[in-house]
Amino acid sequence: MSDSVRSAAGNTPASADPARAVERVSKPYYSSVTSWVTQYFVPMYRRTLGGEFRWCAQWWRHAEAISRLNALWQSWEACRLQGATGIGLWYRDHLDHQLPILLGARGPFYQCTEDEHLEPHLARMEPPPLRWWDAADPQLDERAGV
């Protein structure tokens, strides 16, 4: 057997090396959330758009959508390795909860159509007063009702 087929220890064929087996199994099927969305999610979970379901072709411009899609991708990658019921559990515990929010009429794409991206409205914010979060501030406990 050639050296290139043997493990770093030198005696075990690389195919029998447990460290390499774990590396092969745990390597993501999709290399990024972008590839998962474009190659798996969008082709698989299409809905008739408009009204109840929304999608934005520029999904990557929506922070909430990125976060939810990344969570779906990461959980999909983990569940696919679980064998027999892994993907079934992924549907129940992840997709079935996220899909109505993600594509919903009040979800991150609510202002968009498939053909037009509209920048989401951001809530107005003011910075907290200086020392607002300071734990030594006795007023903090009063404001929190403690």
Side-chain angles (χ1 to χ4, degrees):
M1 187 173 287
S2 73
D3 290 338
S4 64
V5 182
R6 296 199 178 275
S7 71
N11 298 332
T12 309
S15 61
D17 184 356
R20 287 197 154 183
V22 169
E23 181 181 300
R24 279 193 309 274
V25 169
S26 63
K27 184 179 177 188
Y29 187 85
Y30 293 97
S31 62
S32 67
V33 69
T34 300
S35 62
W36 184 81
V37 168
T38 58
Q39 296 171 26
Y40 180 77
F41 180 79
V42 170
M44 179 70 80
Y45 303 107
R46 289 296 286 180
R47 300 290 189 268
T48 301
L49 299 175
E52 184 181 355
F53 299 110
R54 308 287 177 147
W55 178 254
C56 181
Q58 296 179 24
W59 60 270
W60 38 266
R61 295 182 75 178
H62 297 267
E64 180 184 355
I66 292 167
S67 180
R68 289 181 183 278
L69 288 164
N70 193 57
L72 284 170
W73 168 54
Q74 294 289 338
S75 60
W76 183 89
E77 290 287 355
C79 288
R80 76 177 177 85
L81 299 174
Q82 292 178 7
T85 61
I87 292 300
L89 295 174
W90 177 77
Y91 276 103
R92 184 194 71 192
D93 296 342
H94 302 282
L95 184 69
D96 290 349
H97 173 74
Q98 295 291 350
L99 199 60
I101 296 169
L102 185 63
L103 300 182
R106 299 305 298 162
F109 306 130
Y110 78 98
Q111 293 178 307
C112 299
T113 67
E114 193 173 22
D115 298 320
E116 181 182 17
H117 167 77
L118 295 175
E119 199 60 36
H121 171 76
L122 298 178
R124 187 176 149 302
M125 292 185 287
E126 294 182 12
L130 188 62
R131 298 194 61 207
W132 182 262
W133 301 109
D134 190 344
D137 184 355
Q139 293 179 357
L140 180 61
D141 290 337
E142 290 173 20
R143 287 191 296 267
V146 179

